[in-house]
Amino acid sequence: MINNILKRVSNKALFLCIVYLVFLKVFFYFLIKNDYISFGLGGGSDADYYHAYALGYTDLVVNFWPVILRFFNDLGLYSRDGISYLFLFINLFIIPFLVAKLSGLNFQKSQKYYLYSVLLCLIYPTLFFYTLDIYRDEFMALCFLVGCLIVKKCLSRSDFISFSYFYLLAILIGFFLVALRPYLGYAFLLALALWKIKLTKKRIFLFAILYFFALFIANYIGALEVLTEYREGFENELQGGSNLGLDFSNPAFFLPNFILSTLGQLFGLYLVNPFAVLLFIIETIPVLFMLSFILKNIKYADGFIRFLIVFFVLYASVWLIGNDNLGTAVRLRLYNYLAVYICFFYILKLKSNYEIQKAIKK
């Protein structure tokens, strides 16, 4: 059924969509950069702080990204606009093709799936928004995907020496991600340790129950207090309609609040304005469709897919508890969505190959 739907669009039409979208994004990029149009989405304070640190106007370090920027500034290689242009290049030509490669797609052998994968990444509006200045998100997305590529290479190796080499590289990438955003890195490292967990539909259901119970117990004994206290800061500092307003202080309501947080932030069902509706249509609806497909075809999951699924759960669990702002959620869920893209096309290709082989045998 999925194949029949995807095959309705010709490869030529997909390729033309990609070309038009690249030109359209470049066009809007320069319109926005030259103040001809403005989305009024906010978030400039992050980039302003990074720029100030890079130039030495402040010494307050909140993550490793401004340290990298100052390093390049000390070498005389720093330019705020130059890095933004580099991010645009990464957004258009590196990240989409990295996602396709991680999905196991080859332009010659799986051209249609390959084009769909690239087009999906190019459409992603949030990823494009963070190319407009020196935000760390585009760089972190690139590092995360490179880390996933190393993990994939690692898990495909059968000899111990080669496996160990790539495994150590993956651990180093994980610690680098920790320096950029701690819970992103820790989720990556833990997933690297738990990739052998076997997944079936029944096991996923059982694991979900056990995981919710473990989160409830962890919250009840105060193990999640750091996250819930951080969440309270959104009520004090980010007042407005973009906050969910969920209170995790009462342990009895932890699970209902966690579910509401998941629906509102991860799946974008808290539709507070037209922009939220647009993101729900463009970003979330395809992901919901893909998640359904992944769960239905979980039997095709290998070690790499299990790594991504474990990462998805661990990373989402942290920010869904610690974050209460919908604007911030859009940038935090980026890595969850990228993981879903990869899993979907990876499994779709495996299933398609299996069905072809099955038909040949008949």
Side-chain angles (χ1 to χ4, degrees):
M1 179 180 176
I2 300 292
N3 280 328
N4 292 335
I5 294 174
L6 295 179
K7 286 178 180 178
R8 290 177 183 176
V9 183
S10 68
N11 290 4
K12 182 179 179 180
L14 289 171
F15 182 76
L16 287 175
C17 284
I18 290 172
V19 173
Y20 290 147
L21 191 56
V22 167
F23 279 105
L24 192 64
K25 290 177 82 168
V26 171
F27 176 70
F28 273 101
Y29 177 88
F30 283 102
L31 286 181
I32 297 168
K33 290 290 284 185
N34 290 285
D35 297 322
Y36 287 109
I37 59 174
S38 175
F39 292 141
L41 297 177
S45 59
D46 282 356
D48 292 338
Y49 155 70
Y50 295 142
H51 182 62
Y53 187 92
L55 297 180
Y57 298 146
T58 179
D59 290 320
L60 176 65
V61 180
V62 295
N63 57 68
F64 197 59
W65 175 234
V67 177
I68 296 173
L69 295 179
R70 181 177 286 190
F71 172 77
F72 282 108
N73 185 62
D74 292 340
L75 293 176
L77 299 174
Y78 171 76
S79 166
R80 185 169 183 170
D81 285 336
I83 290 175
S84 179
Y85 295 145
L86 177 61
F87 283 166
L88 177 65
F89 179 82
I90 290 171
N91 179 268
L92 296 177
F93 301 111
I94 305 297
I95 287 178
F97 299 104
L98 258 180
V99 169
K101 185 174 181 61
L102 284 164
S103 303
L105 302 176
N106 181 284
F107 183 75
Q108 299 296 329
K109 298 179 180 179
S110 311
Q111 192 172 104
K112 190 175 292 291
Y113 295 157
Y114 190 97
L115 292 173
Y116 268 117
S117 174
V118 170
L119 181 61
L120 193 62
C121 291
L122 287 174
I123 290 173
Y124 204 148
T126 300
L127 197 56
F128 172 68
F129 172 73
Y130 289 108
T131 67
L132 297 172
D133 214 324
I134 52 172
Y135 306 102
R136 58 179 165 150
D137 302 81
E138 201 78 25
F139 179 70
M140 284 196 299
L142 177 63
C143 293
F144 169 70
L145 292 175
V146 170
C148 289
L149 186 61
I150 293 172
V151 171
K152 186 180 179 183
K153 286 183 177 293
C154 169
L155 300 184
S156 66
R157 294 299 189 270
S158 56
D159 61 294
F160 178 76
I161 295 176
S162 181
F163 174 87
S164 301
Y165 171 74
F166 283 107
Y167 197 82
L168 288 174
L169 277 181
I171 290 174
L172 291 176
I173 287 287
F175 280 113
F176 186 67
L177 290 173
V178 169
L180 290 168
R181 176 174 285 156
Y183 48 95
L184 175 64
Y186 287 130
F188 184 92
L189 290 170
L190 281 172
L192 194 57
L194 300 173
W195 67 272
K196 283 191 173 183
I197 295 176
K198 300 293 183 182
L199 296 174
T200 62
K201 291 179 183 179
K202 291 182 179 180
R203 284 191 175 188
I204 287 176
F205 179 74
L206 178 61
F207 285 155
I209 294 174
L210 293 175
Y211 194 66
F212 278 128
F213 181 72
L215 286 176
F216 175 80
I217 296 298
N219 180 69
Y220 187 80
I221 64 177
L224 304 179
E225 189 174 346
V226 174
L227 294 176
T228 55
E229 286 181 355
Y230 180 77
R231 186 187 189 94
E232 292 173 4
F234 287 94
E235 297 182 13
N236 301 324
E237 298 175 15
L238 296 174
Q239 298 286 345
S242 62
N243 285 0
L244 280 171
L246 296 175
D247 183 7
F248 278 72
S249 60
N250 188 339
F253 292 98
F254 173 79
L255 289 182
N257 284 334
F258 182 77
I259 293 171
L260 288 174
S261 182
T262 301
L263 295 174
Q265 297 193 87
L266 183 61
F267 298 128
L269 289 172
Y270 193 57
L271 306 174
V272 294
N273 53 49
F275 183 69
V277 175
L278 183 65
L279 288 184
F280 175 75
I281 294 171
I282 297 175
E283 294 185 0
T284 306
I285 288 180
V287 165
L288 290 173
F289 172 78
M290 291 176 180
L291 278 173
S292 174
F293 176 82
I294 292 167
L295 291 175
K296 287 179 181 177
N297 296 278
I298 197 66
K299 64 181 180 181
Y300 293 99
D302 59 8
F304 179 57
I305 295 302
R306 293 196 297 269
F307 162 81
L308 289 174
I309 292 173
V310 172
F311 166 82
F312 180 97
V313 173
L314 294 176
Y315 173 67
S317 298
V318 175
W319 71 261
L320 286 172
I321 297 171
N323 180 69
D324 193 60
N325 182 264
L326 295 172
T328 306
V330 170
R331 71 195 297 186
L332 293 178
R333 72 189 186 191
L334 194 156
Y335 311 93
N336 291 102
Y337 281 18
L338 288 175
V340 171
Y341 289 176
I342 296 166
C343 288
F344 172 76
F345 285 105
Y346 193 97
I347 291 176
L348 183 62
K349 185 201 170 200
L350 288 178
K351 184 179 180 182
S352 178
N353 290 342
Y354 174 77
E355 290 175 349
I356 291 172
Q357 292 174 2
K358 189 176 179 181
I360 291 173
K361 289 180 180 179
K362 287 183 178 179

